Amino acid sequence: APLPFQQRDQLRTAEGVQQREVTVGGGHAGGQAGWLHFGLGAAEAAEVRVLWPDGTAGAWMPVAAGSFALAGHHELRRWAPGS
C-alpha cells in the first residue's frame, strides 16, 4: 500500500501558534487534503507556514483574516476564489 503523506500547518498570531497535522493517502484510493481552517479570534492578520514531511520548515507568510493560502511542493502561496 502507498505510504501516507504528512505535513504540519502552523498559524501564528500574538496569542500564540496553532498547529494542524495533515495526513493524506496510505489507503486503497489514496486521497487529497481539503481546506484547513484556523480561527484568528480578534486578530486581523496572522502568519502561516508548513512543516514539510522531509523535516524542512517553510518561511512564515503574512495572511489577512478571511484569506486563503495553498500549500504544495515546498511552496506556500496566496490564493483567491476565481484566480
Side-chain angles (χ1 to χ4, degrees):
L3 294 175
F5 173 87
Q6 291 182 320
Q7 74 183 42
R8 290 183 305 279
D9 299 318
Q10 295 183 322
L11 178 124
R12 180 170 67 184
T13 66
E15 299 296 318
V17 175
Q18 298 178 49
Q19 179 170 286
R20 302 277 194 275
E21 185 170 303
V22 179
T23 302
V24 177
H28 165 70
Q32 181 175 337
W35 294 102
L36 295 179
H37 175 266
F38 287 94
L40 298 185
E44 295 182 15
E47 296 176 297
V48 295
R49 76 172 179 179
V50 176
L51 303 176
W52 299 100
D54 66 5
T56 59
W60 289 101
M61 182 179 83
V63 293
S67 66
F68 297 88
L70 289 178
H73 303 291
H74 282 73
E75 175 189 41
L76 186 62
R77 62 185 174 90
R78 288 174 183 78
W79 180 84
S83 63

